[in-house]
Amino acid sequence: MRKILLVSLVFICFQSSAQKITGIVFSDKGDLLPYASVTIKGTTIGASANNRAKYIVAVRPGTYTVVCQHIGYATQEKSITITNEDEELMFFLSEQKLVMKEVVIESGGEDPAYAIIRKAIEKRPLYNKEVNAFTCDLYTKDMIKLRRLPKRIMGQKVPDDDRNSMGLDTTGAGIIYLSESIAKVAAQKPGKFKLDVKSSRVSGSGGFGFSFPTFISLYQNNVIIFTQKLNPRGFISPIADGALNFYRYKFLGSYFEDGKEINSIRVTPRRNYEPLFSGIINITEGDWRIHSLDLILTKKSQLEIIDSLKITQFHVPVNSETWRVKNQLLHFSFNQLGIDAVANFVNVYSNYNLQPAFEKGYFDNVVIKYDTGVNKKTKAYWDTIRPMPLEREEIKDYLVKDSIYEVQKDAVISKQTTDSLNKKQGKIKLLDVFWSGISRRHYATGGNNYRWSFNPLLKGLEYNPAEGAVVNASGAFDKYLKQSKTNLSIQPNLRYGFGNRHLNGWVQVNLSTRDFEEEGKLKRHSWSFAAGSRVTQFNRESPITPLVN
């Protein structure tokens, strides 16, 4: 424990003494270039610009060459000397001028892109296996934003309290999830992986908020993104072994970057409704590795759940022989049931070590390890360490929701405040009991709060030959028990059949805990208990709906 605290203090002190290079990335026409990649030349240290094209890189005093990249634009390098103050460095990128090679294409001949792709496919197994072990630093920022939330979803009204708690405006727009994390990644073949989360922050919450990082490699034949729920089969890489049977390729031209020629190729699926990417992939000349990519998946790619998913990656050399992903942006859109949402998941990788020395037993059953102070870092810490500045709406989201959270968790809320909060929820109406349902949070001094709800009676009406007309009464009670650090959930149910005049009652109780062990490992436990009598279909899969039955 003392070692962890000492290392954390040294780390924070080092970061706080570093200066920052800040700036904005524009096109030469004055347009913002969001999510541009900014790197200190000769290293994997760098940042990603945010949605407003602003970036921050923390460095120690010295002279540096800063490299700025954006797909479709020429890379720009600038030198800067840092003393004891922060410096501003603006970039104005011109559109990438692609040079067409002198290639004679006979009638019916193939595009030059196919020869480049064949060489990339030949090299794919080598690059997929060339790194046996590595460590790196990882910064993630996940943001999910509603652009519109209807007042009703599938006939059910969205309560005003829920809209307010999410921080939405009158049109149903606003950020509903925002989190950042700093972690150390360690991996070793075959199949060993560990994530050491140093700090994590969730807007309006004291939770850990770390989502498992998405490592997307097109050097794999079959690419899995997030989970198999987006497509059970995965998606076929544009440089997979059999990719030529699935894709069409068009050579757009080449350009030079730091003395290396880069080939730009447009990728198009041969057929719709197959798990295929479309977009741009840039391949280096000679060693035929991925330099960068900007690809998209849609419903025509057999993408499930969401409507579109855009993937942008920049790869950088870690040494003279190996390149790794430096920046990765995943952007998805969702527009179903009247809900219009978008999300950005940004990963910034830095400080790669391709020859790490792991202690014996380092890789154990713990895949994710949390530092004991993971969710207790200050705003000043985050302002110093994050490699991309927050956008204006993100700053506002943290400010508003964190303030509300602090008020809600305060253990010394005055009785006047609790009375006001309870009164604000309004009186219970007879219509709520029968049609709308009831959901309430009871506020009390000392933070002794709890939630309870009651499901509407009319929507629980059923009919079946055995019981006749049936009415169901059910609800829920949720409370956090501070002393035992346990979440308690009670779900009582009553069911009365007017035909057989039987009253059935049962209750389910759930207990769950989440806490740290002394070693900093996260431990979770859950228990469930149920008692009483209930009525169910003989077939437990319930193929017949209660109303039809």
Side-chain angles (χ1 to χ4, degrees):
M1 178 67 181
R2 291 177 63 185
K3 289 183 178 179
I4 294 175
L5 289 173
L6 181 59
V7 171
S8 299
L9 286 170
V10 171
F11 182 74
I12 293 170
C13 291
F14 169 79
Q15 290 293 336
S16 63
S17 66
Q19 275 62 56
K20 291 181 287 188
I21 304 173
T22 65
I24 305 175
V25 184
F26 297 92
S27 72
D28 55 1
K29 298 178 181 179
D31 298 324
L32 296 174
L33 296 180
Y35 300 108
S37 174
V38 180
T39 311
I40 302 299
K41 188 173 183 179
T43 74
T44 58
I45 298 172
S48 170
N50 65 16
N51 191 47
R52 300 297 299 169
K54 296 180 180 180
Y55 74 90
I56 297 175
V57 182
V59 294
R60 289 181 291 181
T63 300
Y64 301 94
T65 299
V66 184
V67 182
C68 184
Q69 298 171 290
H70 194 286
I71 292 178
Y73 291 82
T75 297
Q76 190 175 70
E77 297 184 4
K78 289 187 175 183
S79 295
I80 188 170
T81 298
I82 303 299
T83 55
N84 295 321
E85 297 181 356
D86 297 344
E87 295 288 344
E88 186 177 72
L89 189 62
M90 313 294 278
F91 285 95
F92 297 86
L93 307 186
S94 58
E95 290 189 14
Q96 186 69 66
K97 295 179 180 179
L98 299 176
V99 179
M100 297 297 292
K101 300 178 182 179
E102 294 185 6
V103 179
V104 178
I105 303 178
E106 299 178 357
S107 178
E110 67 177 14
D111 191 280
Y114 286 85
I116 297 170
I117 290 296
R118 286 192 183 94
K119 292 174 181 176
I121 291 173
E122 184 180 346
K123 286 283 191 177
R124 183 199 62 78
L126 171 64
Y127 295 143
N128 189 38
K129 298 180 180 179
E130 69 175 340
V131 176
N132 291 318
F134 74 91
T135 62
C136 70
D137 294 332
L138 170 64
Y139 166 81
T140 68
K141 185 176 76 170
D142 301 340
M143 188 273 288
I144 303 176
K145 178 182 178 181
L146 285 176
R147 294 188 291 197
R148 179 180 178 273
L149 179 68
K151 293 184 178 180
R152 292 181 177 273
I153 300 176
M154 299 182 68
Q156 297 292 319
K157 182 181 178 181
V158 180
D160 291 338
D161 287 346
D162 290 349
R163 299 169 75 94
N164 293 334
S165 65
M166 288 189 285
L168 305 182
D169 61 19
T170 55
T171 65
I175 295 174
I176 60 173
Y177 180 77
L178 175 63
S179 76
E180 298 175 276
S181 294
I182 299 289
K184 188 80 171 181
V185 179
Q188 186 179 59
K189 292 182 179 179
K192 296 178 180 179
F193 182 87
K194 177 168 282 192
L195 197 68
D196 191 355
V197 184
K198 302 296 184 183
S199 52
S200 185
R201 182 184 187 189
V202 184
S203 179
S205 170
F208 304 137
F210 188 83
S211 58
F212 201 78
T214 303
F215 290 89
I216 299 174
S217 174
L218 267 66
Y219 290 125
Q220 296 178 343
N221 281 320
N222 194 50
V223 182
I224 300 295
I225 301 175
F226 285 123
T227 70
Q228 291 183 330
K229 292 181 179 180
L230 295 184
N231 186 309
R233 295 189 297 167
F235 301 92
I236 300 172
S237 169
I239 56 172
D241 290 341
L244 296 176
N245 298 319
F246 296 95
Y247 290 99
R248 290 188 176 93
Y249 304 93
K250 181 177 177 59
F251 180 66
L252 301 179
S254 64
Y255 59 94
F256 284 85
E257 183 179 286
D258 203 19
K260 180 175 280 293
E261 186 175 7
I262 314 296
N263 300 294
S264 188
I265 297 172
R266 181 175 296 281
V267 176
T268 308
R270 289 186 177 272
R271 295 168 292 276
N272 288 330
Y273 302 104
E274 291 191 343
L276 304 171
F277 298 91
S278 60
I280 305 294
I281 184 169
N282 296 319
I283 305 292
T284 58
E285 179 75 18
D287 48 5
W288 318 110
R289 66 171 77 244
I290 296 173
H291 169 274
S292 54
L293 56 91
D294 194 7
L295 301 174
I296 191 169
L297 296 166
T298 65
K299 291 295 186 183
K300 290 185 178 181
S301 313
Q302 294 187 351
L303 185 66
E304 300 180 10
I305 302 178
I306 58 179
D307 294 315
S308 68
L309 176 63
K310 184 179 180 182
I311 306 167
T312 303
Q313 282 187 348
F314 289 93
H315 297 224
V316 296
V318 178
N319 55 39
S320 59
E321 299 178 351
T322 307
W323 291 44
R324 302 293 292 178
V325 176
K326 178 192 164 291
N327 286 2
Q328 176 179 280
L329 167 67
L330 301 182
H331 173 85
F332 81 66
S333 64
F334 176 92
N335 195 347
Q336 298 178 39
L337 303 174
I339 303 172
D340 186 359
V342 294
N344 292 321
F345 299 91
V346 180
N347 288 8
V348 179
Y349 303 90
S350 60
N351 295 322
Y352 277 99
N353 179 6
L354 303 185
Q355 294 181 329
F358 298 116
E359 297 179 357
K360 186 177 180 180
Y362 178 80
F363 293 100
D364 49 23
N365 293 329
V366 178
V367 177
I368 304 181
K369 180 180 178 181
Y370 291 88
D371 188 280
T372 51
V374 65
N375 58 349
K376 296 178 174 61
K377 299 296 191 294
T378 64
K379 177 181 178 297
Y381 164 88
W382 283 105
D383 289 343
T384 301
I385 202 169
R386 69 167 59 90
M388 61 186 301
L390 294 175
E391 299 168 28
R392 184 175 298 175
E393 63 178 342
E394 293 171 343
I395 295 173
K396 180 180 177 181
D397 191 74
Y398 272 132
L399 180 63
V400 173
K401 291 182 180 177
D402 286 354
S403 298
I404 294 173
Y405 171 73
E406 290 299 326
V407 170
Q408 290 179 342
K409 79 169 187 177
D410 192 349
V412 206
I413 300 179
S414 68
K415 190 174 187 308
Q416 182 180 0
T417 303
T418 58
D419 291 343
S420 174
L421 290 170
N422 290 326
K423 186 177 181 180
K424 188 177 180 180
Q425 297 178 85
K427 295 181 179 180
I428 296 174
K429 301 177 182 178
L430 191 62
L431 183 63
D432 297 335
V433 177
F434 287 94
W435 184 250
S436 303
I438 304 167
S439 179
R440 289 289 187 273
R441 180 183 180 93
H442 178 78
Y443 295 92
T445 56
N448 194 27
N449 307 330
Y450 60 85
R451 285 183 178 272
W452 67 275
S453 62
F454 181 81
N455 297 322
L457 292 175
L458 290 179
K459 294 182 181 180
L461 288 177
E462 301 176 16
Y463 178 84
N464 63 72
E467 297 175 286
V470 176
V471 63
N472 289 282
S474 61
F477 174 86
D478 298 286
K479 182 178 176 60
Y480 180 70
L481 307 177
K482 288 185 177 181
Q483 290 186 347
S484 57
K485 297 181 179 180
T486 302
N487 290 297
L488 169 66
S489 175
I490 302 174
Q491 298 171 354
N493 297 267
L494 287 174
R495 177 186 181 96
Y496 182 75
F498 289 92
N500 62 0
R501 297 183 179 180
H502 282 180
L503 177 65
N504 295 284
W506 68 95
V507 65
Q508 180 168 325
V509 179
N510 299 309
L511 296 169
S512 61
T513 64
R514 184 173 72 167
D515 199 1
F516 287 112
E517 296 178 350
E518 291 184 359
E519 298 83 1
K521 300 176 183 178
L522 181 67
K523 60 178 181 180
R524 292 186 177 95
H525 299 288
S526 61
W527 300 268
S528 293
F529 310 92
S533 61
R534 67 176 70 190
V535 177
T536 60
Q537 292 186 40
F538 183 77
N539 187 336
R540 291 185 178 275
E541 295 183 359
S542 300
I544 306 174
T545 62
L547 188 61
V548 174
N549 192 38

